[in-house]
Amino acid sequence: GHARIVSLNPTSGSVLGSITLPHPGDARSSVTFVPDDENGTSSAGTAYFTTKGGYFYSVQMNGTTFDRGSLKAQLCKAVQLCG
């Protein structure tokens, strides 16, 4: 199946946004978020994660929602570095 990444409100747990990935494979990693600003307080930035299918993804976050047009995927094999 296709994995779905979800953004949740940290207080209420309500769903703020979600994105379904285009390639098959479970999302099996933690999501790493890198804020756009240097002091790390911005809610805008880039989220990075991997899937069991071997893909490394990045997607821009505009505050609490995903910028669907920014989703990028790179297929990685065990013996190669993604680049």
Side-chain angles (χ1 to χ4, degrees), residues 16-65:
L16 299 172
S18 69
I19 190 167
T20 300
L21 303 181
H23 303 99
D26 301 343
R28 292 291 179 113
S29 71
S30 298
V31 176
T32 299
F33 178 74
V34 179
D36 282 345
D37 65 346
E38 291 183 16
N39 61 10
T41 59
S42 175
S43 60
T46 306
Y48 299 95
F49 49 93
T50 61
T51 66
K52 189 176 177 183
Y55 285 90
F56 175 75
Y57 283 92
S58 68
V59 65
Q60 286 292 120
M61 299 288 298
N62 298 324
T64 57
T65 60

Side-chain angles (χ1 to χ4, degrees), residues 7-16 64:
S7 173
L8 301 173
N9 179 302
T11 304
S12 69
S14 64
V15 175
L16 299 172
T64 57

Side-chain angles (χ1 to χ4, degrees), residues 66-83:
F66 298 100
D67 176 357
R68 295 179 188 282
S70 72
L71 182 67
K72 295 179 184 172
Q74 174 72 43
L75 180 61
C76 299
K77 297 185 180 171
V79 295
Q80 86 179 51
L81 295 175
C82 296

